[in-house]
Every structure is written in C-alpha cells, then in structure tokens.
C-alpha cells in the first residue's frame, strides 16, 4: 500500500474525495485543497488517467510538524529517496507556503533540496543534480503554518490542462471545475444544456464523461514515467482496461452561445476533443424563452458572464434576471448548476 494525496481547487475537495473513492476504492480523508488516501501502485495510473476533478497526484513521502527551517531539513533528510530517484536523474523542489514564517518558500525549497542531496549522498554516495526548468523528478513541499508535507509529483503539469483545446475562450472555465459541476448536478448522460457555452468546456467535459474517454487520450506527458517505481506493464494493463470501457454513443448535449466566434471555437474544440458528433451547437440568445422550445434538457450546467469587465453591474443584473427567468419558464423542476466566477 502507498500513501497518496491529490491537490484540488479550493472548495471542491469533497467532490474530488468522492471521485477518488470510486477510482481508488478507498476511504479518502479530505483536507483544504487536498485529499489523502491509500492504495496500490495501479492507483497512480488510474487517478492520472481517470480523475477529472483534481490537479495533481503526489506520492506522500512525509507529513510532520516543525518549528523552524532546520526541522524541515531534518524531516526531508530522513526520507529514503532511492525508490524515487535514480542516480542519473535530475530533480527540483517546488514549495507552496501558507502562514507567516521568517523565511520564504524559496528558502524552504533550498533547504529541502540540500536535504535530498545529503540523504542520497549518505545512502548511495552519489551527488544528485538539480534541474529547476525540466527536472526528471519533482518534489513538492507544502508548508501550512507548522505542518510540512513532502511528496513526489507523479502528474507533472496540472491535469486541468487536458490538451485538446485549439480555441482559447477569453474566460474559459477549467475543465476540472466543469467536471465538478457535472458531478454536483449528478450527470449520467441525461440530456444536458449549457446555454452560455463559450469555448464549450462544459459540453466537451460532459461528452468525455459520458463516453468514458480517459484523460490520456489527449494528454500524453506524465512525470511518473521517470520514476524507478514506474511499471510499464501495469501502465498498459490499466490503459487497456480504461480503453475497453470507452463508448462512442451519441448523447443529447446542447451547446448555445450568442457569439458566432465563440461557438465556432467551441466546435473546433469539440472536433479536437473527438466529440463533435455528440454535441448540438446553437447560435442563439439565452435570454429568449423561444430559443429553448426545441431543447428537451434534463440538466443545465453553465458558466454565465460575470464581473465588471464586460458588463456594468446594472446590465449584468438584468441579464441574469432575463436568462434565469427564461430557463425557469422552460425547465421548471429540472436541476441547474452554475458558477459565476
Ligand atoms: C463566462 S463565458 C463561458 C465560458 C465557457 N464556460 C468556457 O469555458 O469557454 C460566458 C459566455 O456567455 C456568452 N453569452 C453572453 N450573453 C449571452 C446570451 N444572451 N446568450 C447566449 N450566450 C451569451 C458569451 O458569449 C460567453 O461566451
């Protein structure tokens, strides 16, 4: 059994906890911006390929209390790095810090980096090389008040970068948040509408969910391939299992926007994401009730325009009133999930 934790956007930890519980068949422990759990090595592939609401998966190396920088050095030095770092591989330490400390995140990263070099020198007699730009192995250090957490980043860059986007909407939602919203709404492939779809993030995420497309279909780079514990056979077996579950059924998913540019962008994104055949694109005004007459939606998940950038407060109030009234009149009794930031 290994100890793992994932990082999430703030406020969605319980949703990610539910997702992790079903993927890793475990009892996760929810924390702020993180979810902790235990599981075998297969979890590394399952979570990285299948978890749609999380940012990164870390292998937990140490979790402890500390008083000063020297304590952090000692916690890091006590770890055995030989199972995660080969002598010829480079590493980098990235630190995130919350709370007031008389030292910076850079000081902490430097202390942990030195501890890793010293620990490896003691056990293998080799001085590891640091590469801050493109390390083979990335060690994450999370300091929160008097707690330090050290882990190995198995993911690399955040999983919210799905790598299918060819059109970047100016205020595109993170796909991870789109997935959180779909889980909140209990999406299971029922007819779905995003009346303010922009670049199509929510409809595309819904299509991938319904069709069970694993994330690695589009995003190929993962840091775990550089770890000594990487097992290519297990990786292939998990990939095959996930691919066997894929379906290419057609779902009723409606994507509406008033802007032809954004709608065309959404179509380009859907094409790149291999789901253009299951989404209906509609160039329509979401504030007009007539525009919903031919759409039988059971769930509405959407991300309306927000903030002062494009609308004055008065205009945005009347815009929300007209869109929400049109939706209520058309879909009374149905579920709706919306995010306005
Ligand atoms: C916050 S953005 C949605 C971004 C989208 N979730 C994404 O990830 O790309 C809101 C969208 O609402 C659209 N919109 C604004 N007023 C509209 C209206 N009356 N009817 C339909 N769409 C509208 C805008 O063109 C914009 O693309």
């Amino acid at each position: 059994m290994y100890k793992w934790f994932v990082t999430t956007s703030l406020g969605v930890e319980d949703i990610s906890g539910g997702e992790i519980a079903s993927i890793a068949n475990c009892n996760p422990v929810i924390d702020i911006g993180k979810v902790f759990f235990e599981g075998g090595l297969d979890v590394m592939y399952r979570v990285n390929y299948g978890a749609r609401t999380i940012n990164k998966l870390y292998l937990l190396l140490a979790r402890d209390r500390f008083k000063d920088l020297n304590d952090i050095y000692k916690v890091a030095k006590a770890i055995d790095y030989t199972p995660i770092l080969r002598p010829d591989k480079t590493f980098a330490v990235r630190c995130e810090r919350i709370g007031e400390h008389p030292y910076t995140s850079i000081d902490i990263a430097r202390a942990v980096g030195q501890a890793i070099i010293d620990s490896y020198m003691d056990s293998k007699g080799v001085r590891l090389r640091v590469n801050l730009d493109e390390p083979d192995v990335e060690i994450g250090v999370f300091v929160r008040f008097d707690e330090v957490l050290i882990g190995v980043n198995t993911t690399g860059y955040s999983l919210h970068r799905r790598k299918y986007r060819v059109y970047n909407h100016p205020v595109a939602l993170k796909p991870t948040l789109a997935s959180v919203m779909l889980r909140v709404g209990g999406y299971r492939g029922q007819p779905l509408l995003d009346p303010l779809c922009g670049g199509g993030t929510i409809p595309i995420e819904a299509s991938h969910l319904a069709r069970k497309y694993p994330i690695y279909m589009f995003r190929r780079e993962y840091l775990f391939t550089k770890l000594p514990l990487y097992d290519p056979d297990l990786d292939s077996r998990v990939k095959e299992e996930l691919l066997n579950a894929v379906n290419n059924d057609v779902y009723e998913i409606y994507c509406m926007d008033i802007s032809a540019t954004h709608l065309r962008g959404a179509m380009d994104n859907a094409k790149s994401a291999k789901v253009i055949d299951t989404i209906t694109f509609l160039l329509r005004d979401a504030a007009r009730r007539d525009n919903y007459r031919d759409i039988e939606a059971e769930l509405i998940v959407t991300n309306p325009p927000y903030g002062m950038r494009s609308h004055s407060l008065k205009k945005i109030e009347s815009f929300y009133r007209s869109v929400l009234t049109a939706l209520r009149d058309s879909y009374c009794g149905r579920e709706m999930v919306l995010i306005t930031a």
Side-chain angles (χ1 to χ4, degrees):
M1 275 296 201
Y2 291 83
K3 291 187 175 176
W4 308 96
F5 67 95
V6 295
T7 53
T8 72
S9 295
L10 290 177
V12 310
E13 299 86 346
D14 53 338
I15 303 294
S16 296
E19 185 181 36
I20 291 295
S22 59
I23 292 176
N25 194 19
C26 62
N27 290 315
V29 177
I30 308 298
D31 205 318
I32 301 165
K34 295 181 188 65
V35 176
F36 293 84
F37 60 103
E38 291 188 4
L41 200 53
D42 61 316
V43 155
M44 185 165 77
Y45 313 101
R46 290 186 196 288
V47 170
N48 272 304
Y49 296 154
R52 311 198 69 93
T53 68
I54 67 145
N55 294 333
K56 295 179 185 178
L57 171 72
Y58 287 83
L59 176 64
L60 179 64
L61 298 178
R63 189 179 190 179
D64 217 331
R65 303 263 166 211
F66 69 93
K67 286 203 183 71
D68 54 26
L69 204 50
N70 195 35
D71 279 353
I72 296 181
Y73 172 88
K74 283 188 199 152
V75 171
K77 171 97 189 313
I79 297 168
D80 175 13
Y81 294 94
T82 53
I84 50 160
L85 264 159
R86 289 200 185 91
D88 60 327
K89 296 290 179 202
T90 60
F91 79 98
V93 179
R94 316 264 189 235
C95 175
E96 283 179 27
R97 187 176 60 87
I98 296 172
E100 283 197 16
H101 304 94
Y103 33 80
T104 64
S105 305
I106 295 172
D107 296 331
I108 296 169
R110 200 177 292 128
V112 172
Q114 191 58 52
I116 294 171
I117 289 171
D118 294 347
S119 165
Y120 212 82
M121 183 60 93
D122 286 355
S123 53
K124 286 262 180 188
V126 172
R127 187 184 164 85
L128 288 171
R129 284 172 303 129
V130 172
N131 180 343
L132 294 181
D133 299 323
E134 274 188 60
D136 296 315
V137 176
E138 190 187 297
I139 305 292
V141 182
F142 300 86
V143 165
R144 190 174 57 191
F145 307 110
D146 64 345
E147 185 195 66
V148 59
L149 194 65
I150 302 178
V152 188
N153 177 0
T154 69
T155 307
Y157 59 84
S158 173
L159 286 172
H160 79 263
R161 289 172 61 195
R162 303 281 205 243
K163 301 295 266 185
Y164 65 73
R165 260 190 199 151
V166 287
Y167 173 73
N168 285 309
H169 187 280
V171 286
L173 191 66
K174 282 184 179 170
T176 41
L177 287 181
S179 235
V180 165
M181 295 168 76
L182 289 160
R183 283 184 83 90
V184 168
Y187 181 63
R188 295 267 181 285
Q190 65 272 46
L192 177 95
L193 165 67
D194 178 355
L196 305 146
C197 71
T201 310
I202 294 168
I204 291 170
E205 198 61 25
S207 313
H208 283 183
L209 254 171
R211 288 184 162 180
K212 297 189 168 47
Y213 283 2
I215 289 164
Y216 81 82
M217 269 178 67
F218 306 93
R219 177 212 155 100
R220 294 298 170 108
E221 307 94 8
Y222 286 96
L223 268 185
F224 59 64
T225 54
K226 306 261 181 71
L227 299 175
L229 48 75
Y230 173 61
D231 177 346
D233 292 337
L234 184 54
D235 183 9
S236 301
R237 282 204 298 279
V238 172
K239 272 187 179 144
E240 202 181 314
E241 201 185 294
L242 294 176
L243 273 184
N244 284 339
V246 164
N247 70 79
N248 284 311
D249 297 346
V250 173
Y251 296 86
E252 274 184 76
I253 299 174
Y254 300 94
C255 190
M256 182 191 291
D257 204 285
I258 202 165
S259 153
T261 307
H262 295 328
L263 201 71
R264 209 173 305 113
M267 292 171 84
D268 289 344
N269 283 339
K271 194 169 175 203
S272 161
K274 300 188 192 306
V275 287
I276 188 115
D277 57 327
T278 191
I279 301 177
T280 305
F281 297 88
L282 303 158
L283 185 62
R284 292 185 186 175
D285 181 353
R288 293 195 48 191
R289 201 171 54 176
D290 298 359
N291 283 336
Y292 299 111
R293 283 224 172 107
D294 55 347
I295 305 172
E296 284 293 328
E298 281 177 27
L299 176 64
I300 297 144
V301 180
T302 197
N303 166 217
Y306 53 88
M308 305 290 286
R309 222 170 349 148
S310 48
H311 293 72
S312 72
L313 200 56
K314 250 200 158 37
K315 269 193 190 155
I316 204 119
E317 201 181 313
S318 73
F319 171 77
Y320 271 56
R321 195 177 298 284
S322 49
V323 171
L324 292 175
T325 304
L327 286 169
R328 183 200 59 199
D329 291 350
S330 310
Y331 302 105
C332 189
R334 304 284 156 85
E335 294 282 328
M336 176 157 104
V337 182
L338 67 84
I339 190 166
T340 59

